[in-house]
Amino acid sequence: SVGVTVNMPLFSSTKQDKEVEAAIASQEKTRTDRSLRIKQMIAAFHSARSQLERLDQRQKLFQNKLLPQVRQQAEAALNAYESDNGNFTEVVRSRIGELNAQIEYLEINVARQKQIAQLNYLLTSTESVDSDPSISTSGVKQ
């Protein structure tokens, strides 16, 4: 006589339970990764915004105070040289200082434009996040 045993997976819940747990874990990982990316983008936005505010302050300082003062000093040195009360090296030094201030002002403008581009990128990227009603614009789940 020969005996054959065959397991029939009619009511086998062990394999299905493991698959369900794996699917739930994968879904939770995806949610966690997405939430982490959103938080990183929001942090990058806040950082870029504060850097832009500081650059705006520096730009206004250069426009309103530093550049006019440096320009006046250069003119004063030139006037003193023309009236034989100053020397040529002071005129050159003051003009170099004026050019350096203008270059720094241009660097501030470039950095400002980069921050604006970064903010535009982050705001454009977060528009797709805003379509998810479970996440508000502050990045906190409702």
Side-chain angles (χ1 to χ4, degrees):
S1 78
V2 175
V4 176
T5 306
V6 178
N7 288 334
M8 298 287 290
L10 293 176
F11 302 107
S12 175
S13 64
T14 307
K15 183 177 179 185
Q16 291 175 353
D17 287 345
K18 289 181 181 178
E19 288 176 2
V20 168
E21 287 175 8
I24 290 172
S26 174
Q27 188 178 24
E28 287 299 318
K29 180 189 177 301
T30 303
R31 282 185 188 152
T32 303
D33 289 345
R34 183 170 186 245
S35 175
L36 179 62
R37 275 188 252 123
I38 290 169
K39 287 179 182 180
Q40 288 172 341
M41 289 176 68
I42 290 170
F45 170 79
H46 289 302
S47 173
R49 187 178 64 185
S50 66
Q51 287 177 4
L52 180 62
E53 289 171 0
R54 283 192 302 265
L55 288 169
D56 285 341
Q57 291 171 352
R58 287 184 66 200
Q59 183 185 40
K60 287 177 186 174
L61 177 69
F62 267 77
Q63 280 178 339
N64 298 332
K65 291 186 180 180
L66 294 177
L67 288 177
Q69 286 176 358
V70 171
R71 193 171 295 119
Q72 288 173 355
Q73 287 175 346
E75 289 298 320
L78 181 62
N79 290 337
Y81 175 72
E82 288 175 347
S83 64
D84 288 334
N85 289 334
N87 59 12
F88 183 71
T89 57
E90 285 301 317
V91 173
V92 172
R93 232 181 256 142
S94 63
R95 288 294 178 188
I96 290 173
E98 183 181 9
L99 290 174
N100 286 337
Q102 288 175 352
I103 289 171
E104 192 170 346
Y105 178 71
L106 290 174
E107 288 172 351
I108 291 170
N109 287 336
V110 169
R112 246 185 111 255
Q113 293 302 319
K114 286 181 181 180
Q115 289 304 317
I116 290 170
Q118 180 70 19
L119 285 170
N120 286 338
Y121 168 76
L122 291 169
L123 289 174
T124 303
S125 298
T126 58
E127 285 178 359
S128 60
V129 171
D130 290 339
S131 64
D132 185 358
S134 67
I135 299 174
S136 69
T137 56
S138 63
V140 180
K141 286 203 174 208
Q142 297 176 348

